Amino acid sequence: MTPEKKIVSLKKFLEMDKGEDRLEYFNGEVIYLPSPSVEHQRVLLNIGAELRNYFKGTSCEAFALIDLWLINKEKSLNVKVQPDLMVICDKTGLRENSYCGTPALIAEIISSSNESHDRIRKYITYMEFGIKEYWIINPKLKTVEIYTLEKSEYKQAIMIPKIKTDKTAQIS
């Protein structure tokens, strides 16, 4: 099932965003997101726990499923996404239920219903807004693709085959 789309003003979106729907906003285009599956949640929690432990004791912190506002005032762009996981090192933009800024890392867990959204739209958006590292996690294939930003363009840094998605997120 492809996420449903609708075009609205930022003002209208902010009104819509007060409801129960999971929404993303791409400079006028509203994307309705499906609820994450059980498998998606397992992978999210396992990798999130690993990220939390990895960054423990540093200025960086891992967050799951909070709103991320990416704003480019020079281009009059407003983008609100709900990454599965993100690592935030500069916490000045952290609010109660959202973050406004540029996370150091974003990880998206793909499924057949959202693969093109994560591989194309979010990939391009995250690259344009300067997200330094972008992970695409595929639970079905049990792989992780890691892209790093070099000279304003993503380069695939590594492809990790065969991650465990059941009890641990450790790489096998």
Side-chain angles (χ1 to χ4, degrees), residues 20-158:
E20 295 295 315
D21 291 320
R22 294 182 63 228
L23 304 176
E24 292 185 330
Y25 185 76
F26 291 87
N27 206 40
E29 187 175 354
V30 177
I31 308 291
Y32 290 82
L33 300 174
S35 295
S37 68
V38 170
E39 180 182 37
H40 185 109
Q41 290 292 324
R42 284 185 179 130
V43 172
L44 173 78
L45 290 172
N46 289 334
I47 294 176
E50 293 292 327
L51 287 172
R52 183 193 65 228
N53 291 337
Y54 181 82
F55 288 104
K56 193 173 190 171
T58 72
S59 63
C60 300
E61 190 174 354
F63 292 89
L65 299 172
I66 66 169
D67 293 345
L68 168 62
W69 281 95
L70 299 167
I71 298 169
N72 184 332
K73 293 177 183 169
E74 294 145 12
K75 295 182 180 179
S76 298
L77 292 176
N78 292 295
V79 175
K80 181 210 148 201
V81 291
Q82 285 190 343
D84 292 313
L85 293 162
M86 64 180 149
V87 173
I88 298 171
C89 299
D90 174 9
K91 296 182 186 159
T92 57
L94 195 56
R95 308 291 183 262
E96 184 177 336
N97 297 315
S98 65
Y99 178 69
C100 184
T102 305
L105 179 152
I106 290 180
E108 295 286 4
I109 302 163
I110 62 171
S111 65
S112 56
S113 69
N114 72 354
E115 187 166 358
S116 65
H117 183 62
D118 290 340
R119 286 194 176 280
I120 299 168
R121 177 178 296 245
K122 285 188 171 181
Y123 176 96
I124 291 167
T125 301
Y126 296 159
M127 187 170 54
E128 287 177 344
F129 280 92
I131 309 299
K132 292 181 180 143
E133 198 165 318
Y134 180 40
W135 296 8
I136 299 176
I137 301 159
N138 187 327
K140 188 173 182 178
L141 298 177
K142 298 184 178 169
T143 59
V144 178
E145 299 167 43
I146 299 175
Y147 297 92
T148 57
L149 197 62
E150 296 177 19
K151 299 179 183 175
S152 301
E153 192 172 314
Y154 278 138
K155 303 290 182 195
Q156 187 169 13
I158 192 167

